[in-house]
Each structure stands twice: as structure tokens, then as C-alpha cells.
Amino acid sequence: MRALISAFFVLNLFTSNISYAQSVDEQELARQLREGEFVKYPPEYLAELREVIGLFDHPGKSIPYLTCFNHIETNLTKGGIVEEFNAYIDHPQITAKQKSFMRKSVNRLLNITPEEKSGICACNTKDTWDNLMTPGHRTAYNKMAQGIPLTEKDNKALQKKTNVVRPATEYDPMACIFKPMNLYGEYRSIL
């Protein structure tokens, strides 16, 4: 059972990854953010953000959503998550019911639909925005999504780490993954 929960936790980390930089030179943008030198996204990325910005009540939510949406299949298949799920299927401590669920999950993840991707990413975005970001993060993200140059204060806010710890009784990290795929009830039944 621990192996099952570990695999799901790793999957959630990949799908909720908030990688800010995914434009022309991802490494350079990531470096700028890390070093507090970020000013503004390139026009190509701002154009992508404008395509989804209307889905949200705050423009900054479009950044983690688009990052998730663009990278979810790569993270799930090429990142080794599906392979890890498959390895757990053969683990001797996994029950038949858990193995069946894992096989179904792997199949669904390999054949994920745009609607499921959108649901997963929207859920992760809402959770991140509401529970993990500071007000400074949100202000900076709103500016970034609108192409407004960041100030030194905004860059400092982005570098501030949050130390939010939520007990499992308050938050199930797997809900955002399995609810959009209509697998959450089955997931809860195998725990």
C-alpha cells in the first residue's frame, strides 16, 4: 500500500509542477527567475497565455495551468511515471484490486484526453493558487501573465518559499488527478 501511495505522490508532483519557463529558452528564463532577474515573458509565450487567460478569475492562474497542460503528457509518459506504475503492478504486496486499478490508471494516463488534461491542470492550478502561493506570488504571476514587467519587489516575492504543510485529512493530492478521469471513487476504495 505504501508503494501505491508513493507512486501516486510522485505522479502528483509531476502534474502539479509549476515550471515558469517554457518558452524559447526555458533554461534562461528559469535562471532569470531563480536569480531574481526576470522582467517579462517573450511575446510568443504571452500569446499562448492570452489563449487561456479568460478561463480564470485571475490572469496569473494561466501560467501554472498552461505549464501543466503543455507538459502533462511528457511528464506522465517520458518522465518515467507510467513505467513506475507498471513496476508497482508486479510488486508482491499489491493486492489484485490495486493491480487492476493501477493497470486502468496506466491505460488512462497513456490515453489522456484534452478534457481530462484540462480538468487535472485546472484543479492543480486552483489548489496551488489558493493554498500554496503567497499574496506576493499571486501579484507577480498576475503581472507576468499580462506582460507587465516585474519589479525587484516582485522578483523577491517569487523567490520566497512557502512552508505550507497540509495533513492528509485536509487534502488528498490524488483528487486532482483522478476526479477528472472519473477514477477517484475507485482510487479511494483501494486504500
Side-chain angles (χ1 to χ4, degrees):
M1 183 55 76
R2 268 194 170 156
L4 179 66
I5 292 170
S6 296
F8 289 147
F9 181 72
V10 171
L11 174 62
N12 190 51
L13 287 176
F14 277 98
T15 60
S16 63
N17 178 24
I18 303 177
S19 166
Y20 307 108
Q22 59 163 283
S23 192
V24 178
D25 187 348
E26 291 186 21
Q27 290 181 341
E28 176 56 20
L29 288 173
R31 186 200 64 74
Q32 289 174 8
L33 283 161
R34 213 177 26 256
E35 302 296 323
E37 300 170 2
F38 184 87
V39 177
K40 187 174 159 181
Y41 277 124
E44 315 86 74
Y45 188 64
L46 288 171
E48 286 185 56
L49 289 172
R50 278 192 292 278
E51 292 178 22
V52 298
I53 214 165
L55 300 173
F56 303 100
D57 55 346
H58 297 281
K61 288 182 178 180
S62 62
I63 295 170
Y65 173 84
L66 189 60
T67 299
C68 173
F69 195 85
N70 287 342
H71 288 281
I72 193 168
E73 286 185 64
T74 300
N75 289 340
L76 293 175
T77 56
K78 294 182 182 173
I81 298 303
V82 170
E83 289 82 4
E84 193 166 331
F85 267 50
N86 282 329
Y88 282 114
I89 289 171
D90 295 327
H91 194 280
Q93 293 179 338
I94 300 294
T95 67
K97 194 173 181 181
Q98 290 169 333
K99 286 180 185 186
S100 173
F101 177 77
M102 294 289 272
R103 284 187 187 101
K104 185 185 290 186
S105 297
V106 167
N107 182 50
R108 293 296 297 280
L109 292 170
L110 288 172
N111 297 296
I112 195 166
T113 67
E115 293 80 17
E116 290 167 339
K117 284 182 7 179
S118 182
I120 289 168
C121 294
C123 181
N124 277 312
T125 295
K126 180 180 177 0
D127 179 60
T128 299
W129 189 268
D130 293 347
N131 299 305
L132 303 177
M133 288 185 164
T134 66
H137 288 135
R138 291 190 286 269
T139 298
Y141 268 55
N142 282 330
K143 287 182 177 181
M144 292 165 68
Q146 296 174 77
I148 299 169
L150 294 187
T151 64
E152 185 178 329
K153 179 182 174 185
D154 296 325
N155 272 302
K156 283 184 181 178
L158 286 175
Q159 293 177 344
K160 184 177 180 184
K161 304 249 186 252
T162 59
N163 295 322
V164 176
V165 177
R166 295 183 284 178
T169 56
E170 292 178 17
Y171 170 71
D172 182 355
M174 301 316 299
C176 283
I177 295 168
F178 291 123
K179 282 183 180 180
M181 295 191 303
N182 293 316
L183 293 174
Y184 189 68
E186 188 173 350
Y187 160 71
R188 296 293 300 165
S189 76
I190 65 167
L191 295 179

